[in-house]
Amino acid sequence: EISSGQTTTVDFALEASPGALSGTVISAVGSTPLSGALVQVTSGGVVLFSSVTDVSGNYSILGVAPGAYVVNIKASGYQTAISGAIVVASTTTTVDVSLEASPGTIEGTVISASDGGAISGALVEVSLGNVIVGSAATNNEGAFSIAGVAPGAYVVYTYATNYQTGVSGAVVIANSSSTVAFSLQPTPGTITGTVTSAGGGLPIVSALVQVINDSTVIDATLSDSSGHFTISGVPPGSYTVSAETATYQTGIQGAIVISGETTAVDFSLAASPGIISGTVVSAIGSTPIAGASVEVSLEHIVLFSTVTDSSGHYSILGVAAGSYVVHASASGYQVSVAGAMVVANITT
């Protein structure tokens, strides 16, 4: 009210013109616009304004009083982003946000391929482009879990003592678990040794050495110029190992192969036996003498003996290679003595 002769005072407190907030929300991987993301403007923990992004990932909030604010941006499958914003009167403040996808988890088990048992203490590593982004060790049940892995495609490795390395791919999805199961083969062992002759211990070259499992040959090799052989990559287990070559008897031995270790198997092969055969006849008339006694001796020791048949014939099998003395005797006849050289696999 204005009175005559008096001064009336009118004071004004003017609010600053409001400003605006706008921006774009994209995915940190691929820079893809995110539609439907929730944008909230807060002050003192109180939500004052909110909006959602359009199909191009854009948002705009008008009528924001000048001041300092906190902007929260949320989208399904992505981690929440928080950004500060200063709003100036009659001005649009731009807040662009790049959201990181929510992490996922890689979990699974590590077991032995040989018996299906759990492998505890195995190291599991998650790799992206040769960079290890996560790791864990298996528990007593062979289980592992690696959390906080960003969505994407990874290579997972697992290492365990006395086992071959396991490798598998894994695709991680936000807020989800990717399962990887490993069945590790035991680290193979090695069988090595030499093949020599029993008579003199000389190396036997090109002897065929075979590793046999349940009558099946799983690997083989030839001895070298020193009689040595090596067969690698043999799975742990019990095997039969044989060594054979011409003019020698086949050698057979058992071998237990242990993971990551070398098993020694040496062979000393005896020469294959030969045969001494012949006919005993009368010096007069060359009449065959039946029932004559024939003895084969070495250094005055009788090793073999037989008698002639009705045709005066005899045959002694299984005589080791070497030099022998053969005695033939019959009632009414003088003893006859002859030398015999036996060669492996040959009839003398």
Side-chain angles (χ1 to χ4, degrees), residues 295-304 323-327:
E295 295 180 339
V296 177
S297 63
L298 177 65
E299 296 181 355
H300 307 294
I301 299 174
V302 176
L303 302 178
F304 305 92
S323 298
Y324 299 89
V325 175
V326 181
H327 296 77

Side-chain angles (χ1 to χ4, degrees), residues 74-143:
K74 304 176 183 179
S76 177
Y78 290 85
Q79 300 178 50
T80 298
I82 299 176
S83 177
I86 303 296
V87 176
V88 179
S90 302
T91 301
T92 298
T93 300
T94 300
V95 178
D96 293 326
V97 179
S98 178
L99 297 186
E100 296 286 348
S102 297
T105 300
I106 296 178
E107 60 185 19
T109 55
V110 181
I111 64 172
S112 169
S114 61
D115 59 13
I119 301 177
S120 64
L123 174 63
V124 182
E125 293 181 338
V126 178
S127 176
L128 178 64
N130 297 323
V131 176
I132 298 173
V133 299
S135 64
T138 56
N139 60 20
N140 290 336
E141 286 73 43

Side-chain angles (χ1 to χ4, degrees), residues 215-233:
S215 301
T216 300
V217 177
I218 66 169
D219 209 340
T221 189
L222 297 176
S223 59
D224 61 20
S225 59
S226 299
H228 182 76
F229 69 90
T230 296
I231 300 177
S232 304

